[in-house]
Amino acid sequence: MRKIAIYGKGGIGKSTVTSNLSAAIAAKGFNVMHIGCDPKADSTNTLMRGAVIPPILEVQRTKKNNVKLDDIIFNGFNNVKCLECGGPTPGVGCAGRGIITAFELLESLNAYDIFKPDYVMYDVLGDVVCGGFAMPLRRGYAEEVYIVTSGEKMSLYAARNIATAVENFKSKGYAKLKGLILNSRNVAGEYELVKKLADELKTEIVIQIPRDGAIQSCEDNNVCVMEGSPQSKIADVFRDLASIISGDCC
Ligand code: ADP
Ligand code: MG
């Protein structure tokens, strides 16, 4: 089982990248579990044809100790198993804490033993890397970390913070930074800006994803590009990324 966390600033394209990547890895015949760890709970929307799945924390609030796996795990495109951690009531409680609670519940329900995923993909907000949002990096939840960034200042700033958090946990044998995913925003000198950060972090740019209108038009139809536009150039980019990450490339 490979456990991969995709981090990045809010709005940078984490859910777009992670859901297309989950779909592309699943298309290779792997069993994929996709866990949205952003309080927005919208990571799996385009894998679920727009159906909003109940976030784990919400289900737990109503069902208390009677939560079953069927209440929180849903079959999406290419049989990707979709889950959303969710978040607290706005203004009350800690969003990071929610991730911990959701992970503990999945463990207590033996979700990983029952579904036996080849890949677990975590889609995690990285604006704040507090203990809660760093949770996927700890206790062996995620082993490999990819950071989505553009050349925009705030995105690079968040990427550096996330990399620092990964580095801080490395000594304990937890997650490792595997590379940056450049999601283009077409800022001047974008590749060079991101490459400079990659060099500083002693990592590499694993792929450059162009800006492509097909992503948004598919999103408007509630599907990921792997489903809505599988012959497009951008779908090829996500297939390439899946090949790079799964190791059957180059
Ligand atoms: P995050 O999960 O990081 O908050 P999203 O994946 O929801 O971000 O992406 C935010 C918006 O940017 C979405 O509307 C998405 O369609 C759009 N988007 C992301 N990547 C691209 C891209 N490469 N080209 C065009 N639009 C993109
Ligand atoms: Mg998202």
Side-chain angles (χ1 to χ4, degrees):
M1 181 164 85
R2 283 180 63 187
K3 297 175 278 184
I4 298 174
I6 311 287
Y7 272 84
K9 182 189 168 302
I12 198 59
K14 293 177 299 296
S15 301
T16 304
V17 170
T18 314
S19 49
N20 280 292
L21 184 57
S22 289
I25 292 177
K28 290 175 175 290
F30 293 111
N31 189 7
V32 180
M33 191 179 260
H34 177 122
I35 308 181
C37 304
D38 185 320
K40 266 196 290 173
D42 63 351
S43 177
T44 56
N45 283 4
T46 58
L47 288 168
M48 294 295 307
R49 298 216 169 145
V52 176
I53 64 174
I56 298 174
L57 291 181
E58 205 176 294
V59 176
Q60 201 182 33
R61 275 196 289 269
T62 46
K63 292 202 144 187
K64 308 279 184 234
N65 291 328
N66 296 316
V67 181
K68 298 196 173 50
L69 286 175
D70 287 353
D71 299 325
I72 52 176
I73 301 187
F74 298 85
N75 218 29
F77 178 62
N78 279 353
N79 282 325
V80 173
K81 305 293 176 294
C82 296
L83 301 89
E84 294 284 355
C85 291
T89 311
V92 185
C94 163
R97 173 74 217 159
I99 297 177
I100 301 172
T101 309
F103 285 7
E104 284 171 352
L105 180 66
L106 287 175
E107 273 187 340
S108 71
L109 295 175
N110 292 322
Y112 304 105
D113 293 335
I114 291 167
F115 284 92
K116 295 188 173 45
D118 301 303
Y119 284 84
V120 182
M121 310 295 295
Y122 299 95
D123 171 4
V124 200
L125 183 70
D127 294 64
V128 190
V129 201
C130 69
F133 287 111
M135 194 58 190
L137 307 175
R138 304 167 73 177
R139 286 204 222 156
Y141 285 114
E143 290 158 345
E144 303 169 46
V145 176
Y146 292 87
I147 303 173
V148 181
T149 187
S150 67
E152 291 162 305
K153 205 170 165 188
M154 290 313 290
S155 163
L156 293 167
Y157 175 78
R160 190 180 279 107
N161 276 348
I162 295 157
T164 305
V166 177
E167 184 64 26
N168 284 343
F169 292 129
K170 204 171 79 179
S171 59
K172 301 185 182 106
Y174 296 138
K176 287 196 175 54
L177 179 61
K178 301 288 282 189
L180 306 183
I181 294 171
L182 198 181
N183 194 19
S184 308
R185 280 289 171 89
N186 298 340
V187 300
E190 187 155 47
Y191 186 87
E192 289 69 28
L193 286 165
V194 178
K195 178 74 172 86
K196 189 163 167 262
L197 179 66
D199 290 346
E200 186 193 311
L201 301 174
K202 297 185 175 52
T203 191
E204 56 184 344
I205 298 174
V206 291
I207 204 160
Q208 176 164 13
I209 301 171
R211 261 203 104 62
D212 193 316
I215 290 182
Q216 271 145 4
S217 51
C218 286
E219 193 176 79
D220 290 344
N221 292 322
N222 293 318
V223 289
C224 59
V225 290
M226 299 309 298
E227 180 172 12
S229 193
Q231 309 302 334
S232 61
K233 276 193 194 151
I234 191 75
D236 280 340
V237 174
F238 288 120
R239 272 187 284 267
D240 286 349
L241 182 59
S243 292
I244 292 166
I245 289 182
S246 67
D248 63 0
C249 147
C250 337

